[in-house]
Amino acid sequence: MFVVLINISNKVALYAIYNLQIYQIHSVNATPCPVLTMQKIAVTLTSAACRKRRDPVRPEKDTAMATKTKKVWFCTSCGNESPKWMGQCPACGEWNTMHEELVSKDKGEESRTSRSRAFIGTADYKPQLLSEVHTEDEPRIKLSGLDELDKVLGGGIVPGSLILIGGEPGIGKSTLSLQIPLRCPNLKTLYVSGEESVKQLKMRAQRLASGISGLDSAMGNCYVLSETLLENILKHARETQPELLIVDSIQTIYSELIESSAGSVSQVRECAASLLRFAKESNTPVILIGHITKDGTIAGPKVLEHIVDVVLQFEGDTRHSYRVLRGIKNRFGSTDELAVYEMTGTGLREILNPSELFIPMHGDNLSGVAVAAMVDGNRPFLIEVQSLVSSAVYGMPQRSATGFDVRRMNMLLAVLEKRVGFKLSAKDVFLNIAGGLRISDPACDLAVVAAILSSNFDVTIPARTAFAAEIGLSGEIRPVSQVEKRITEAEKLGFEQIFVSEFNNIPQMPASKRSGIQIKKISTVGDLVKAIF
C-alpha cells in the first residue's frame, strides 16, 4: 500500500494506492492540515475498498444439496448418542464403548433418514378401541424339510416379519439361510450377499443341494444378488417382489445417506429400520444375518435386537459338529423351543431325537461318567457328564470345566467337602459335557456330583441310571421343574432308574400306564453316596 499527498488549488487530498486501485482517503483545506494516523488511514481505506469493490452476487443455497456433517459419539453396546467422548456410557453403564462417527444432517426431502419417516405408511391414524380392531389369521409360510426351524419360529415364518440370525463365524448362519430356498423351491426368494459373489453362492448351493433331488428346480426360484448399498437392495427387492428376502449380513450393508462406514452403529440402525419398513409395507418377510462380538453378543447397537421381530441365536462349538438354534426373542411365538443340528458336508442336518446323540456310547465299566436329565426350553435332553479327579502334582490344584460353569462346580466341590466330608481340596478336578454343549440347567447338579464322586472312588455308576435334581449349599437335594418330562425321556431311551428330589410332587400314574423305570427319591447328598457307592 502506498500513501500519496497531493496539493491542488489550496486543497490537500490524501490518496492511497492499494491492489492497483486508487482510493481518496481525506480531503481538507490547505491550512490547517489535520494529522491522520495510520489507524485512521487503514479504517478509511477498508471502507473505501468495500464501496468500490462490490462483492459478487452469491447464488441462492440449494437446500437439497446442503449438507452439514458433524461428529457424534455412539455407544456400540446400546446405541446411545453423545456429543462428546465419555469413558462410561450414561445409558447402559458400559466402559470404553463410545466410538466416533460422522453423521450427515441433510435437509432435502429425499435425504431424510428413518428418524423422520414412519415405519408403516397408513392413512388411518385415529386411535381405536382394542375391541374394535379386526384381525384375520394370516397363514404362516411353512418351510418344507425344515420342521425344526418351523418349530423354533412358532409354526412358520410370519409374512412381514423381520428375523435376525446371529452366531459365531462358521457356525452355520449362511448355510441355514441358503438351505431355506433350496428346500422350499416354491418360495420365491431374493438372497442378497454382501460378503460373497454370485459365483461363490452358486458353488455353495451346489454343495448344499447335492442331496436334494432336482437340483435345477431347487435353484430355479432363488434370485441371488451381490450388493452392499441399501438403496440398490431395496430397488431390486421392489422390482423382483420376492416372497422372502435374505440379507447376509446386516453389518456389511450401508446407506449413502449416512457418512459413517458399514457396520457402524448408525449404519446398522438405519439399515435395519429401512428393511423393517420395507417388510411391513410390502408384507415380505426379511431374514437378517448378524455378526457377533468376542463376548458372544450380536454386533452393533442393542436397538437392533429391539427393532427385529425374532432373534435366533446359534450356539455350539465350531470344532464340534452339533449346533443348537435357540430363540432369544419371538413376537409371534414362544422362546422355549430350540432346534439341534449336525453340520455335515451337505449342510445342516436336523436331529429329531438329540438324546440319542448325547447319551453314553461306550462300555459300561467306566468311572466318572453320569447321565443328567435336563430340560432346555420345552425339550428334554439326556446328556453325558464326564469327570476326572486326580491328585495334584503341581502344588496348586486345578479346576477346569468345559460346557459347565466353573464357579458352580467350585460351589459343588465346597458342598462335598463341607457337608459330606470328602477331602477334594488337594485334588485336580476336570469336568466335561459330552458333545460340545453348554448347559445351565441346575438339574444337572446331581449328575455332576455323581460323576465327581465316581471318579474319586473309581467306582462305576450302575448302567442305565439318570439324575435330575439341584443341590443346595446345605447339601440338600432340591426339586426341579418339569420332572415328568425328564422321567418320560429317560424311560423312552431305556433307562432303568432315575434319582430325583424327595420333595418333587410326581403325580401317581394309573397301573395301565405305569412304566418300568424306578424313581428313587433322595433328600441329601449323603443319601446319594449310600445309594450308589
Side-chain angles (χ1 to χ4, degrees), residues 4-5 42 55 96 127 176 252 281 290 305 320 441 455 465 472 475 477 483 486 496-497 505:
V4 181
L5 184 63
D55 292 337
N96 300 324
L176 180 63
T252 61
E281 291 176 351
E305 300 181 38
H320 295 80
D441 190 0
S455 179
T465 302
I477 306 299
V483 67
R486 307 173 196 266
E496 299 175 356
Q497 61 181 354
N505 295 323

Side-chain angles (χ1 to χ4, degrees), residues 416-476:
L416 290 177
E417 187 159 351
K418 177 70 175 180
R419 303 299 180 185
V420 190
F422 293 104
K423 303 299 181 182
L424 300 175
S425 58
K427 294 186 177 182
D428 296 334
V429 179
F430 302 95
L431 190 69
N432 178 52
I433 304 300
L437 294 180
R438 299 192 63 87
I439 61 175
S440 58
D441 190 0
C444 300
D445 290 351
L446 192 59
V448 170
V449 169
I452 292 174
L453 294 179
S454 173
S455 179
N456 185 42
F457 295 146
D458 199 15
V459 175
T460 304
I461 296 177
R464 300 297 176 181
T465 302
F467 303 89
E470 181 184 358
I471 296 179
L473 293 179
S474 299
E476 77 277 12

Side-chain angles (χ1 to χ4, degrees), residues 160-454:
S161 61
L162 189 62
I163 303 171
L164 176 63
I165 302 178
E168 295 182 358
I171 200 71
K173 306 182 298 297
S174 302
T175 300
L176 180 63
S177 301
L178 190 55
Q179 280 185 256
I180 294 176
L182 297 180
R183 297 291 179 90
C184 305
N186 296 327
L187 186 64
K188 186 178 181 181
T189 307
L190 175 59
Y191 192 102
V192 180
S193 177
E195 302 173 349
E196 298 177 279
S197 64
V198 292
K199 293 184 179 180
Q200 291 175 322
L201 291 174
K202 179 62 179 296
M203 295 172 58
R204 185 154 56 92
Q206 288 177 341
R207 177 176 58 85
L208 297 178
S210 59
I212 303 176
S213 60
L215 179 62
D216 294 335
S217 62
M219 298 183 182
N221 213 11
C222 178
Y223 295 85
V224 292
L225 174 66
S226 181
E227 182 60 70
T228 57
L229 183 60
L230 176 65
E231 287 74 17
N232 291 342
I233 294 174
L234 296 178
K235 175 186 175 183
H236 291 292
R238 293 187 179 96
E239 293 175 353
T240 309
Q241 296 183 355
E243 299 176 2
L244 176 64
L245 174 62
I246 302 175
V247 179
D248 183 11
S249 63
I250 187 61
Q251 279 78 18
T252 61
I253 306 303
Y254 74 97
S255 174
E256 59 184 3
L257 305 179
I258 307 297
E259 295 294 333
S260 56
S261 60
S264 61
V265 174
S266 56
Q267 285 285 4
V268 171
R269 181 181 60 243
E270 296 299 334
C271 292
S274 299
L275 290 172
L276 175 64
R277 184 169 54 255
F278 167 77
K280 301 305 180 184
E281 291 176 351
S282 62
N283 204 29
T284 303
V286 179
I287 296 179
L288 304 178
I289 297 178
H291 299 166
I292 66 170
T293 62
K294 61 181 180 181
D295 298 328
T297 59
I298 296 179
K302 196 68 175 179
V303 70
L304 174 62
E305 300 181 38
H306 292 283
I307 289 177
V308 300
D309 298 316
V310 181
V311 179
L312 303 181
Q313 183 81 15
F314 258 114
E315 298 178 359
D317 194 347
T318 56
R319 294 170 294 181
H320 295 80
S321 59
Y322 300 115
R323 311 283 193 267
V324 176
L325 182 64
R326 190 186 308 275
I328 306 299
K329 172 187 175 182
N330 193 350
R331 290 173 177 166
F332 312 110
S334 174
T335 56
D336 294 333
E337 298 292 343
L338 57 88
V340 181
Y341 294 93
E342 181 184 8
M343 179 63 75
T344 63
T346 57
L348 292 171
R349 184 177 68 89
E350 295 179 348
I351 305 299
L352 301 180
N353 190 4
S355 298
E356 295 180 355
L357 300 175
F358 304 127
I359 58 177
M361 296 182 180
H362 47 69
D364 296 335
N365 298 323
L366 295 179
S367 62
V369 177
V371 177
M374 60 169 289
V375 172
D376 200 334
N378 287 328
R379 173 170 290 186
F381 289 90
L382 290 184
I383 60 172
E384 182 183 85
V385 180
Q386 302 172 349
S387 177
L388 177 63
V389 180
S390 62
S391 300
V393 296
Y394 297 106
M396 181 67 67
Q398 301 182 52
R399 301 286 188 266
S400 176
T402 303
F404 192 78
D405 189 1
V406 67
R407 294 173 297 181
R408 191 166 186 86
M409 184 189 72
N410 291 332
M411 182 199 74
L412 296 176
L413 293 175
V415 170
L416 290 177
E417 187 159 351
K418 177 70 175 180
R419 303 299 180 185
V420 190
F422 293 104
K423 303 299 181 182
L424 300 175
S425 58
K427 294 186 177 182
D428 296 334
V429 179
F430 302 95
L431 190 69
N432 178 52
I433 304 300
L437 294 180
R438 299 192 63 87
I439 61 175
S440 58
D441 190 0
C444 300
D445 290 351
L446 192 59
V448 170
V449 169
I452 292 174
L453 294 179
S454 173

